[in-house]
Amino acid sequence: MNITSITHMTREQMTAILDKAEIYLKKIQAKEDIPETLKGKVILNAFFEDSTRTRVSFEMAAYRLGAHVIPFSVASSSLKKGEAVIDTLQTLGAMHPDAFVVRATQGDMPRLAEEHIGCPVLNAGNGTYEHPTQALLDALTIRNYFGRLDGLRIAICGDIKHSRVAGSNILLLQKFGAELRLVGPEDLLPTTRDENIVYETDFAQGIAGADVVMMLRIQKERLETKLNYTDAVYFSEYGLTQERLQKHTPTAMVMHPGPMNREVEIAGDVADDPEKSLILKQVEAGVAVRMACLEAAILN
Ligand code: NCD
């Protein structure tokens, strides 16, 4: 099975992954032995873009299940020498990996990999499009805290337009019946609109009464034109502060996929608030979710 897009996954498939991940999360927390269901499998971890959390957590997930990982980065690959992407994929495929985890700026990389590599493909983020394992780990984090996803009011705030985290979360949360609000300045909201989603440029209105406030950084490396406001101005209008949380949505929980830009989209004391912030829970859930995803991809 490929895990390249939430569009292609049913609610049942995702629930099965979340249920399995929950079991793994408990085992990791309890430091229990984990059966090596992927013993002897070899996973190619190809990151053509920078990553801290996602790359390490895919590696950790693979090792926890007994698989071997070959990290492959563009800095040391022949793509730098001008090799065509398809040749690189076919070359890697000829070595018969058991799974291919790939992150790339190029939006069609997961599809090309599906066509040319000949093993299950897991998308670790493609351009501004999707980041399915991030949406799944966010879903597990929310489900573990609230006990459900249905009917929750979730405000995703910041650069929705260029965020693949938002892309996959919007698809997943809609499939699970959450109420979605997308909040940010007009130039960072998506250009195509969905009638089931609320779009809001006023930050206070957008977060008011939300159960979850999910903050996103501005994807400066993906902007078409330079922003006409500074980080300080952005923070004053769209930054999540303790004061704003208290005033507009005092019981909300806060999420952020990382990397965070403190005092740009989120105040440091909000990110670090153990009562409000689920940010490290997201990272913790990430390993367990990627274990369940690697298993589903390789063994199904
Ligand atoms: C995100 C990504 O790479 O899309 N990071 C992550 O995987 N946790 C978010 C981002 O870069 O802003």
Side-chain angles (χ1 to χ4, degrees):
M1 166 188 188
N2 295 310
I3 301 186
T4 49
S5 162
I6 298 293
T7 317
H8 304 140
M9 297 182 84
T10 63
R11 189 172 159 148
E12 290 66 36
Q13 281 173 323
M14 293 192 279
T15 302
I17 288 175
L18 296 180
D19 291 347
K20 194 66 194 276
E22 202 174 318
I23 295 170
Y24 282 138
L25 183 59
K26 291 202 176 109
K27 282 190 185 292
I28 295 170
Q29 287 167 337
K31 297 199 183 298
E32 279 174 25
D33 283 346
I34 295 167
E36 297 197 323
T37 54
L38 299 183
K39 192 172 164 58
K41 304 286 183 193
V42 182
I43 296 165
L44 254 177
N45 224 6
F47 280 71
F48 299 103
E49 251 186 28
D50 295 341
S51 172
T52 307
R53 276 148 284 264
T54 308
R55 188 178 61 78
V56 175
S57 89
F58 263 112
E59 285 189 28
M60 182 85 83
Y63 284 119
R64 289 250 181 254
L65 295 173
H68 306 285
V69 181
I70 300 179
F72 172 85
S73 71
V74 74
S76 55
S77 81
S78 290
L79 277 177
K80 284 254 154 148
K81 299 183 194 161
E83 184 172 59
V85 173
I86 291 174
D87 288 335
T88 301
L89 292 170
Q90 284 174 342
T91 300
L92 295 172
M95 300 181 201
H96 300 288
D98 295 294
F100 184 64
V101 178
V102 64
R103 163 171 287 194
T105 307
Q106 207 178 323
D108 61 356
M109 181 64 97
R111 183 183 58 77
L112 291 174
E114 281 178 12
E115 285 170 16
H116 296 284
I117 204 147
C119 70
V121 177
L122 295 103
N123 176 9
N126 62 325
T128 57
Y129 298 94
E130 279 224 52
H131 193 348
T133 61
Q134 178 71 42
L136 286 161
L137 76 85
D138 289 339
L140 183 64
T141 308
I142 297 171
R143 205 178 78 162
N144 280 348
Y145 187 83
F146 290 92
R148 65 183 211 284
L149 291 158
D150 290 73
L152 287 180
R153 283 164 299 190
I154 302 190
I156 307 181
C157 310
D159 184 2
I160 319 286
K161 189 177 178 183
H162 305 98
S163 167
R164 55 200 179 199
V165 175
S168 284
N169 261 305
I170 291 165
L171 292 166
L172 182 148
L173 291 166
Q174 281 194 308
K175 287 193 185 189
F176 278 95
E179 261 178 56
L180 275 181
R181 290 183 217 161
L182 304 184
V183 189
E186 195 61 50
D187 55 333
L188 299 182
L189 287 177
T191 41
T192 52
R193 301 281 156 113
D194 178 328
E195 56 179 23
N196 299 311
I197 296 176
V198 173
Y199 299 85
E200 186 56 69
T201 53
D202 183 282
F203 190 69
Q205 292 264 99
I207 64 169
D211 297 298
V212 174
V213 180
M214 189 183 286
M215 301 307 297
L216 300 172
R217 82 180 166 95
I218 301 176
Q219 305 272 307
K220 287 193 174 154
E221 71 278 25
R222 303 188 208 280
L223 298 176
E224 306 83 18
T225 51
K226 214 170 160 287
L227 297 173
N228 57 11
Y229 36 83
T230 61
D231 286 352
V233 167
Y234 182 80
F235 185 62
S236 72
E237 291 195 25
Y238 291 97
L240 186 64
T241 59
Q242 289 285 10
E243 194 193 349
R244 285 186 163 138
L245 270 174
Q246 279 314 317
K247 192 161 166 206
H248 306 295
T249 184
T251 60
M253 295 305 287
V254 176
M255 297 175 70
H256 195 308
M260 277 187 282
N261 289 305
R262 289 168 183 254
E263 282 30 88
V264 180
E265 73 272 6
I266 187 167
D269 61 350
V270 172
D272 297 334
D273 184 344
E275 305 288 312
K276 302 252 110 218
S277 168
L278 294 174
I279 296 169
L280 292 178
K281 298 268 177 226
Q282 291 172 265
V283 179
E284 194 185 20
V287 175
V289 161
R290 291 177 176 124
M291 288 166 77
C293 287
L294 286 170
E295 236 180 30
I298 296 172
L299 303 180
N300 284 349

